[in-house]
Amino acid sequence: EFALVEGKPTIVVDDRELKTKTSLKLFELGAFLHSKRLLVGDFVCSNKVCVERKLCEDFESSIIDGRLFAQADELRKNFESPLICVVGKNFERINKNALQGAFISLATDYKIPVIFFDSEEQLAEFLFACAKREQDNDRTPLRLRVNKPTQSPAQLQRFIVESIPGVGSKNAVNLLKKFGSVKAVFNSNENR
């Protein structure tokens, strides 16, 4: 449990995020930061809002290696209003259809908005405003409650490939058998 500091938005920050430009800007803005190793998300703004921060390149990598949908699943299970915030828009490693499928899946399957920012400083300003708004409405101390993942790696891989527009469950299984990995499916010419 993390007590709120009067007059300052209080944000729980994953300790691996402390040296990022986002955290530094939050500190400059006057946020009170609690550092803790978080099992879900990177920034907790309230008992209902948790943010997963991704740089553009990391967003692509997390689609390829399957982390994105596992993280989305955990965010949805543990927070009422999770958000995925992406810094940058220059996607180069994943084709347009796979990227679009990931955005659609996050929005429709997980009900998690994806918000884009041009810089980490802009993201910090958003997090600061979000925490302030949330905590002005609810002064309850921040509590972190996390459930453990329930999907197997094979289930997550299938789900990721299913998120490609036009690919259902059966085709996802066949594509994974043929190409051997999510990355190989996304990089195949047959998917373009």
Side-chain angles (χ1 to χ4, degrees), residues 73-84:
D73 192 46
E74 291 307 307
L75 283 166
R76 174 54 48 212
K77 286 178 184 174
N78 289 284
F79 293 92
E80 182 182 331
S81 300
L83 301 169
I84 294 178

Side-chain angles (χ1 to χ4, degrees), residues 6 26 32 44 59 80-82 99 107 144-145 153-154 174 176:
E6 192 63 40
L26 280 168
F32 187 83
V44 178
F59 188 82
E80 182 182 331
S81 300
L99 196 57
L144 302 179
R145 0 168 246 294
N174 291 335
L176 284 167

Side-chain angles (χ1 to χ4, degrees), residues 106-121:
L106 289 168
T108 60
D109 298 332
Y110 294 98
K111 311 288 189 268
I112 299 176
V114 179
I115 304 171
F116 292 90
F117 296 90
D118 291 328
S119 69
E120 289 194 64
E121 290 79 11

Side-chain angles (χ1 to χ4, degrees), residues 62-192:
S62 66
I63 292 172
I64 292 168
D65 66 21
R67 282 181 295 126
L68 179 64
F69 297 105
Q71 290 169 327
D73 192 46
E74 291 307 307
L75 283 166
R76 174 54 48 212
K77 286 178 184 174
N78 289 284
F79 293 92
E80 182 182 331
S81 300
L83 301 169
I84 294 178
C85 294
V86 180
V87 178
K89 297 176 187 167
N90 297 323
F91 298 102
E92 299 174 357
R93 295 175 28 213
I94 294 181
N95 73 57
K96 179 182 168 186
N97 289 340
L99 196 57
Q100 187 176 48
F103 295 142
I104 292 168
S105 180
L106 289 168
T108 60
D109 298 332
Y110 294 98
K111 311 288 189 268
I112 299 176
V114 179
I115 304 171
F116 292 90
F117 296 90
D118 291 328
S119 69
E120 289 194 64
E121 290 79 11
Q122 285 180 345
L123 170 57
E125 290 168 359
F126 172 83
L127 292 171
F128 185 88
C130 180
K132 182 173 181 355
R133 176 188 178 274
E134 286 292 303
Q135 293 164 24
D136 283 350
N137 292 328
D138 181 5
R139 297 297 302 162
T140 308
L142 298 177
R143 291 185 181 88
L144 302 179
R145 0 168 246 294
V146 177
N147 298 319
K148 294 187 179 181
T150 56
Q151 289 184 314
S152 71
Q155 289 170 318
L156 287 172
Q157 287 179 332
R158 190 187 81 230
F159 189 77
I160 292 164
V161 175
E162 284 177 16
S163 71
I164 299 170
V167 175
S169 179
K170 186 177 178 182
N171 286 337
V173 170
N174 291 335
L175 286 168
L176 284 167
K177 281 182 185 174
K178 180 176 181 177
F179 292 103
S181 72
V182 172
K183 183 177 182 178
V185 171
F186 282 144
N187 289 332
S188 73
N189 287 331
E190 294 176 29
N191 189 28
R192 296 181 196 268

